[in-house]
Amino acid sequence: MKKSSTQTAKRAATSPLRATLLIGLAVVALPSLASAQPSRSRSSAQPLGIVFRQIASPDSAVRPLGNRPALHRGQVAFYGYRGASYGTDVVMAIRRADGKGAFSILAAEGDPRPDEAGSTFDHFGNPALFDGEAVFLGGEFGTLSSTYSASISQPYQLFDDRGINNPFFGALGVTTPASPQGIAYRDPNGVFTFLGLYQDPLPCGTGSFAYNNVPGLRYVPQGGDLLVWPALANTSDYAGDLIAGYDTTFGQLYCVATGLDTIPGLGTPFDFFYKADTDGDRVAFIGMDDTSGFGRHEGVYVRDASGTGPITLIADVLTAAPGGGTFGSFEAVSIDGDLVIFEGCAGGSGGCAVYGFFGCFVRNGTPGPIFEILNTGQMIGGRPIIDLTMSPTGRDGNRFAFDVRHAANSASLYVATIRVP
């Protein structure tokens, strides 16, 4: 599902720079980004501004390794390095989201691990952040990794040693995909609940959860009282996939969307679900139909978190993309309030001339114009963009943290603020 080498090559030959982005702070006015009118022409821009704050770069004291940063309440946590050579003297660091002030080091290469006698850290990864406390993976090659927690004022300590490899940290606690199936939910009291395990009964219809997780399942987002994730199922009721939800207040599993639901604008049922996110009121997800014509139909959709209301199309492979052409594929999606942000490729032959971030405001159930945030046809901080990545852990209201790859051994980290029109 991630970008192929062919897509990357296509993204290298992109359109001219549409706006100049300055190091540290850039305000980009987007008065008119779309001109082509394919079958669904909702992709004209709207009056807003996007501000980019540089958090780390190849020139900063701590340089990012491009590992999906986490953002919450004015702080960014990320995996980086301080050595002269790429990837040496690695650290887990935190910095203010406005890019000001010094880097705070939460843990560093060579520091002792509190749970493994004689072992020291030589790698980190996958930070999550909530109210100033970071939860992250750490370990030494040749030993089992564990999950640790730390803050600027609190030294690192063992958080859990039971395989929280990709944590999502929020008011409800910490969630992570389990292996090889289901999810794990650790509440603020440290109590674990496993959900959607193999042969557990489905919360809707007949059948049970399948043996494996959805390919590419990386995070289990939370919002309000809810957890959501895409899951595979063994059922004769539909194609076998669903968006599962878990209400932590009532301890109840339910279905947000299944293969019984019809794809808006297409009229056929969903065959597969990929990524999902929730703000507690609504759920945004990527859904697909593998049987439409000669290629797969996929798109970004929104539904109320109860799973009972209509499904709203945000963008699919028939939707006009800013800058011309249509969208080609979708990799990630996030929702918070009225703002939906998604990652994917767009434009040109096959909808993959550029790869980037796009947004859409949904007001009273109606999606507005799709606007472009940043893509591989542009430069940022005076450097080219050959790849970029976002995740739900980097989203906080109308801001999100993301990493940008300039070259194989060169990356930067930014926070984008979307000014609400």
Side-chain angles (χ1 to χ4, degrees):
M1 296 300 301
K2 191 60 176 172
K3 295 84 77 174
S4 68
S5 57
T6 301
Q7 291 171 334
T8 302
K10 289 181 179 179
R11 296 198 301 273
T14 50
S15 58
L17 180 63
R18 200 171 282 124
T20 299
L21 308 182
L22 302 178
I23 295 179
L25 171 64
V27 181
V28 182
L30 303 175
S32 180
L33 289 179
S35 57
Q37 301 292 321
S39 55
R40 293 192 183 126
S41 54
R42 199 167 42 78
S43 293
S44 60
Q46 51 190 337
L48 52 79
I50 301 174
V51 178
F52 295 97
R53 294 276 188 178
Q54 187 185 86
I55 309 303
S57 76
D59 302 321
S60 58
V62 179
R63 299 172 289 286
L65 283 166
N67 187 264
R68 293 179 176 85
L71 168 69
H72 191 248
R73 293 191 177 177
Q75 291 182 322
V76 180
F78 69 101
Y79 179 30
Y81 69 100
R82 299 179 297 187
S85 300
Y86 181 80
T88 59
D89 189 16
V90 296
V91 298
M92 183 58 65
I94 206 167
R95 195 183 191 191
R96 285 171 46 173
D98 60 6
K100 298 179 180 179
F103 295 93
S104 296
I105 306 303
L106 304 181
E109 183 176 343
D111 285 346
R113 297 174 62 192
D115 55 320
E116 292 284 341
S119 177
T120 59
F121 291 113
D122 65 10
H123 67 275
F124 302 99
N126 307 336
L129 187 64
F130 180 72
D131 278 352
E133 182 181 4
V135 172
F136 55 91
L137 191 70
E140 182 178 24
F141 289 111
T143 67
L144 294 176
S145 299
S146 298
T147 307
Y148 303 87
S149 64
S151 67
I152 293 176
S153 59
Q154 179 67 40
Y156 67 85
Q157 60 185 337
L158 178 68
F159 182 79
D160 202 279
D161 60 359
R162 286 174 283 186
I164 304 179
N165 293 325
N166 292 280
F168 189 103
F169 192 12
L172 301 178
V174 173
T175 55
T176 183
S179 180
Q181 83 289 118
I183 70 163
Y185 163 49
R186 185 185 191 270
D187 71 17
N189 296 318
V191 178
F192 261 90
T193 301
F194 290 91
L195 302 165
L197 298 180
Y198 176 50
Q199 295 186 333
D200 282 355
L202 294 175
C204 50
T206 60
S208 61
F209 285 93
Y211 180 74
N212 291 312
N213 279 328
V214 168
L217 178 62
R218 187 176 180 91
Y219 295 104
V220 181
Q222 55 180 270
D225 298 324
L226 305 179
L227 316 177
V228 296
W229 71 99
L232 301 179
N234 292 321
T235 177
S236 58
D237 296 345
Y238 46 87
D241 292 1
L242 69 149
I243 298 291
Y246 180 72
D247 189 316
T248 59
T249 299
F250 298 100
Q252 184 175 358
L253 272 169
Y254 68 99
C255 294
V256 176
T258 72
L260 294 176
D261 289 305
T262 300
I263 299 175
L266 194 65
T268 58
F270 287 102
D271 286 328
F272 182 72
F273 298 100
Y274 185 39
K275 300 287 180 65
D277 189 27
T278 184
D279 63 359
D281 295 318
R282 289 177 288 189
V283 176
F285 60 89
I286 298 172
M288 305 174 186
D289 174 7
D290 284 328
T291 61
S292 59
F294 293 101
R296 179 174 63 201
H297 186 94
E298 59 183 286
V300 175
Y301 306 90
V302 169
R303 193 176 205 178
D304 66 278
S306 70
T308 59
I311 295 174
T312 300
L313 168 68
I314 302 300
D316 64 9
V317 294
L318 300 178
T319 303
T326 57
F327 289 100
S329 65
F330 304 91
E331 171 64 22
V333 64
S334 183
I335 186 170
D336 201 335
D338 292 334
L339 179 59
V340 177
I341 295 174
F342 58 93
E343 175 186 339
C345 57
S349 177
C352 277
V354 296
Y355 195 89
F357 302 137
F358 304 88
C360 176
F361 285 95
V362 182
R363 302 277 168 73
N364 300 317
T366 301
I370 294 171
F371 55 90
E372 181 181 274
I373 299 171
L374 191 67
N375 70 41
T376 51
Q378 299 173 332
M379 298 180 68
I380 190 166
R383 292 181 170 92
I385 302 171
I386 65 169
D387 199 8
L388 29 68
T389 308
M390 60 172 280
S391 78
T393 60
R395 182 74 186 278
D396 191 18
N398 67 328
R399 299 193 297 177
F400 72 103
F402 60 95
D403 56 76
V404 173
R405 181 69 55 182
H406 306 299
N409 293 336
S410 176
S412 293
L413 192 162
Y414 285 84
V415 169
T417 301
I418 313 297
R419 292 180 172 175
V420 180

